[in-house]
Amino acid sequence: MDIIVLKPAATAKEIRHIVKKLDKKGFKVNISKGTERTVIGVLGDTSIITEDESNAFASLAGVETVHRITQPYKMASRNFKSSNTTFRVGKQTIGGKKIQVMAGPCAVESGPVLLNIAREVKKAGATFIRGGAFKPRTSPYSFQGLGEEGLKILAETREKTGLPVVTEIMDPRDIDVILKYADIIQIGARNMQNFRLLREVGLYDKPILLKRGLSATIKELLMAAEYIMAQGNQKVILCERGIRTFETATRNTLDLNAIPVLKKLSHLPVIVDPSHGAGTWGLVSPMSKAAVAAGADGLMIEVHTKPAEALSDGEQSLKPEKFKALMKELKAVARAVGRTI
Ligand code: PEP
Ligand code: MN
């Protein structure tokens, strides 16, 4: 018994009574008030609830039905919330009809370089600027990012262009400084199962872009989202960014299946990062188009004015003119699937 649907006429007293009973059994609740009905999500290991106990809850005053969810994720599940989740970030709506494009360099390198890139991607139609200030690099000797200085540059760029900022958090100890500057906090693929970090970002009302781990299943991605949501933060964006397979022709294998699968299993917005998915700039355009055609709510694309001089991921970064051409082509694909861009 994991979801309790209340009668439209359920009173506050009846709801309190139900919540108290659940609390006694050690369960936390998430109460979501819809336009017609209120639904109580029961959080915790509900598998220990017997059929008899479940029936007892179903017969409490104010209760219409009780649904048991067999999936291990609940708040992220479409069974819990059937309508698509949408939320606003600045002037933009994530998860709505409009496809959101987050573009920018892999890493923040300097103020002038970022501003240049931001102006170019904005002109082409991007709605967010991306860029890492804390970079998860495979080698400890590679450029690790500018840290808080990079965050300040992102904030200045937002001021000058109006583009909201997407940037990665790597360590829960950086939460205060990241909250100060970011509009969307990214959790990178390598940290998808950093549960301490997931719990931390779940405590705030700040959208989280959660990237699929390099070897994570779709179920594991949804469980990671559940970690964030169970803390109270419902603004989670799922991001397919390619997974490790036996294939060596590309950096990763972009799992396009994940888009419709995630949309079916979850109400959360889904975006795709073809840059990391492919690992080479020549594949970014076709994979972006495929992602939009398959139902993605957004794209995250690495763009750099001088890819050959980029401090990270230059080989998969589009030059502004290529990005501009792609955005033009994406308009037609979006229109074909009833979306705008
Ligand atoms: C990035 O967005 O630059 C990044 C490091 O992505 P991922 O975590 O998907 O590798
Ligand atoms: Mn990158």
Side-chain angles (χ1 to χ4, degrees), residues 292-339:
V292 171
D297 297 301
L299 294 167
M300 172 170 260
I301 299 176
E302 287 186 338
V303 177
H304 201 288
T305 37
K306 289 186 179 154
E309 290 169 28
L311 296 180
S312 61
D313 286 348
E315 61 288 356
Q316 66 191 35
S317 298
L318 290 183
K319 285 185 182 164
E321 66 261 28
K322 290 266 189 279
F323 178 70
K324 196 174 149 197
L326 167 61
M327 288 297 284
K328 228 172 158 182
E329 289 179 30
L330 283 172
K331 273 195 181 22
V333 181
R335 203 178 315 121
V337 291
R339 310 287 291 259

Side-chain angles (χ1 to χ4, degrees), residues 26-333:
F27 295 111
K28 289 206 169 110
V29 297
N30 171 277
I31 301 180
S32 84
K33 288 194 166 68
T35 43
E36 285 179 15
R37 269 167 223 286
T38 298
V39 170
I40 301 178
V42 185
L43 306 177
D45 180 13
T46 52
S47 64
I48 59 166
I49 297 174
T50 64
E51 212 46 50
D52 282 351
E53 285 174 313
S54 175
N55 291 338
F57 269 97
S59 57
L60 288 176
V63 175
E64 182 152 290
T65 47
V66 164
H67 296 282
R68 299 207 72 154
I69 297 188
T70 45
Q71 286 154 330
Y73 47 89
K74 298 182 174 68
M75 303 179 74
S77 167
R78 232 192 234 282
N79 293 339
F80 178 62
K81 180 174 179 285
S82 57
S83 63
N84 286 338
T85 283
T86 64
F87 46 84
R88 284 186 78 82
V89 182
K91 290 182 190 144
Q92 303 298 335
T93 300
I94 310 262
K97 191 175 175 194
K98 182 174 174 185
I99 287 159
Q100 299 293 342
V101 180
M102 305 163 183
C106 180
V108 178
E109 298 173 4
S110 78
V113 170
L114 188 71
L115 184 59
N116 222 345
I117 297 170
R119 288 198 164 129
E120 292 282 359
V121 298
K122 186 184 177 182
K123 233 183 350 188
T127 40
F128 288 81
I129 179 75
R130 65 141 286 150
F134 297 99
K135 293 303 304 175
R137 303 305 301 279
T138 302
S139 164
Y141 308 118
S142 302
F143 176 59
Q144 303 287 307
L146 297 178
E148 185 168 3
E149 181 53 30
L151 296 175
K152 284 183 183 157
I153 292 172
L154 281 162
E156 281 162 23
T157 309
R158 171 178 54 210
E159 226 159 81
K160 289 178 181 150
T161 61
L163 291 175
V165 164
V166 187
T167 197
E168 178 164 354
I169 187 169
M170 282 176 57
D171 189 317
R173 288 169 293 191
D174 296 327
I175 187 71
D176 290 333
V177 71
I178 294 264
L179 281 169
K180 217 163 113 189
Y181 299 104
D183 297 293
I184 296 179
I185 300 178
Q186 176 173 324
I187 302 253
R190 289 153 193 83
N191 273 315
M192 190 204 83
Q193 285 188 314
N194 182 336
F195 301 118
R196 175 76 181 72
L197 187 59
L198 297 174
R199 279 214 179 92
E200 185 66 39
V201 299
L203 295 172
Y204 306 90
D205 182 37
K206 183 74 90 173
I208 308 301
L209 193 161
L210 178 63
K211 295 187 114 183
R212 181 178 181 182
L214 277 74
S215 305
T217 63
I218 286 173
K219 187 167 151 189
E220 285 162 343
L221 172 60
L222 290 168
M223 291 305 292
E226 189 77 14
Y227 260 90
I228 300 170
M229 299 174 89
Q231 295 297 306
N233 189 349
Q234 310 302 304
K235 295 178 184 170
V236 179
I237 306 162
L238 305 169
C239 179
E240 164 59 39
R241 49 76 71 206
I243 48 173
R244 281 240 164 115
T245 68
F246 55 80
E247 184 54 70
T248 53
T250 49
R251 180 179 181 183
N252 291 297
T253 298
L254 188 68
D255 181 10
L256 288 170
N257 288 335
I259 307 163
V261 171
L262 285 169
K263 291 300 261 182
K264 183 162 184 262
L265 296 176
S266 177
H267 52 85
L268 294 171
V270 175
I271 74 157
V272 171
D273 169 354
S275 306
H276 292 86
T280 168
W281 68 266
L283 297 177
V284 170
S285 174
M287 297 319 281
S288 297
K289 288 179 264 185
V292 171
D297 297 301
L299 294 167
M300 172 170 260
I301 299 176
E302 287 186 338
V303 177
H304 201 288
T305 37
K306 289 186 179 154
E309 290 169 28
L311 296 180
S312 61
D313 286 348
E315 61 288 356
Q316 66 191 35
S317 298
L318 290 183
K319 285 185 182 164
E321 66 261 28
K322 290 266 189 279
F323 178 70
K324 196 174 149 197
L326 167 61
M327 288 297 284
K328 228 172 158 182
E329 289 179 30
L330 283 172
K331 273 195 181 22
V333 181

